[in-house]
Amino acid sequence: YLSPDRSPPQALIKEGATSNAASDIVSTYSTPLAPSFKASHYEIGLLSSLSSFAGMLGLIPGARMIERIKSRKTVWLVSAFLYRIAWLPLIFLPFLFQGRSQLAVLVIIGSLAASSFFVAFRYPAWTSIMADFIPKNVRGKYFGKRNMVTGLAGLLSILAAGQILIIYGFGAIFLVAFALGLLATYFISRLVEPPFATSFSYKKNHSLRIKDLPRTAAVNRNFFVFTIFMVVFYFSARFTSPFFFVYML
């Protein structure tokens, strides 16, 4: 599953670039799509909050699934395919509805919530399999290179999608995103899954039962503080971010 020189497979970077390009198009232009159907401010907030909530719900069953079937690649592949299938309504809505349409807004909310669920569903499998693909001694260098490539791909895709939007409309850019997503799924299918690890070095207490939380927080203090920071950070960011596009428009 590694290259002859023990380096990670190139398919991982190709998958990351195409996947990030597709996701950035959808995440950037799905919110402006809703106001085109005269979505209210409440509906815009609902669009963001339900997507986040669905993403949170997808993590635990995703982790349970890889414990059950022991194939992280299968979980990653199926969930990656399903969350891109959830984008399909976005392609056709601009052709089916014009002007104010509450049904179109509800379809957008449902599509993005379903997409967020399956994105999160794949995260445990993705995190686990990437840890096996990328040796510890090269992880910093590798993810630096991978993040640079995926970030550049996302930036270029957003700029290109903006030009396509001007000429062909929303349906065309979501069609491009869907095609890029399918290409990313193809790169996943080309990977040979590493053996599933059966032993782990992490031995600290991590019980989530209410009565054990004080001890868990004390034993895992750094992680606990980091978690609180991320809660506050995302709350403050998500408080305003859904309405930024509305304000700009």
Side-chain angles (χ1 to χ4, degrees), residues 1-3 5-10 12-13 129-147:
Y1 55 92
L2 295 175
S3 303
D5 60 352
R6 302 293 295 171
S7 63
Q10 289 297 311
L12 285 175
I13 291 184
I129 203 171
M130 289 294 281
D132 288 338
F133 267 127
I134 317 302
K136 288 184 179 180
N137 63 321
V138 299
R139 282 180 188 171
K141 178 181 179 180
Y142 175 80
F143 279 105
K145 175 183 177 182
R146 187 178 190 273
N147 291 343

Side-chain angles (χ1 to χ4, degrees), residues 70-247:
K70 303 299 183 184
S71 175
R72 296 162 294 172
K73 176 184 172 181
T74 299
V75 175
W76 183 8
L77 186 62
V78 172
S79 57
F81 180 74
L82 289 176
Y83 90 72
R84 279 138 190 166
I85 288 294
W87 296 344
L88 282 176
L90 303 179
I91 299 173
F92 300 105
L93 284 177
F95 303 103
L96 297 177
F97 300 95
Q98 299 292 328
R100 166 65 181 170
S101 174
Q102 190 170 26
L103 177 59
V105 174
L106 292 176
V107 170
I108 296 171
I109 293 173
S111 296
L112 294 180
S115 175
S116 295
F117 177 86
F118 288 111
V119 167
F121 192 90
R122 69 162 188 160
Y123 273 147
W126 182 87
T127 303
S128 175
I129 203 171
M130 289 294 281
D132 288 338
F133 267 127
I134 317 302
K136 288 184 179 180
N137 63 321
V138 299
R139 282 180 188 171
K141 178 181 179 180
Y142 175 80
F143 279 105
K145 175 183 177 182
R146 187 178 190 273
N147 291 343
M148 181 181 67
V149 172
T150 57
L152 181 60
L155 174 63
L156 294 177
S157 69
I158 292 172
L159 294 175
Q163 295 302 310
I164 295 173
L165 175 62
I166 293 171
I167 302 173
Y168 299 106
F170 280 106
I173 61 174
F174 292 125
L175 179 60
V176 171
F178 181 71
L180 288 171
L182 290 183
L183 182 59
T185 306
Y186 166 75
F187 289 132
I188 299 172
S189 70
R190 301 290 295 172
L191 296 171
V192 178
E193 182 175 357
F196 191 80
T198 56
S199 62
F200 305 93
S201 59
Y202 185 81
K203 299 184 183 300
K204 290 186 178 180
N205 180 288
H206 57 277
S207 172
L208 295 181
R209 291 180 297 183
I210 298 297
K211 66 177 184 178
D212 294 331
L213 281 180
R215 182 172 182 272
T216 298
V219 174
N220 305 279
R221 184 176 180 276
N222 287 341
F223 182 72
F224 182 76
V225 172
F226 176 73
T227 301
I228 297 299
F229 165 76
M230 293 303 294
V231 169
V232 176
F233 177 83
Y234 277 109
F235 179 85
S236 58
R238 296 294 175 87
F239 191 84
T240 56
S241 61
F243 305 100
F244 176 75
F245 289 111
V246 180
Y247 177 68

Side-chain angles (χ1 to χ4, degrees), residues 6-23:
R6 302 293 295 171
S7 63
Q10 289 297 311
L12 285 175
I13 291 184
K14 295 176 182 178
E15 184 276 334
T18 50
S19 179
N20 201 58
S23 297

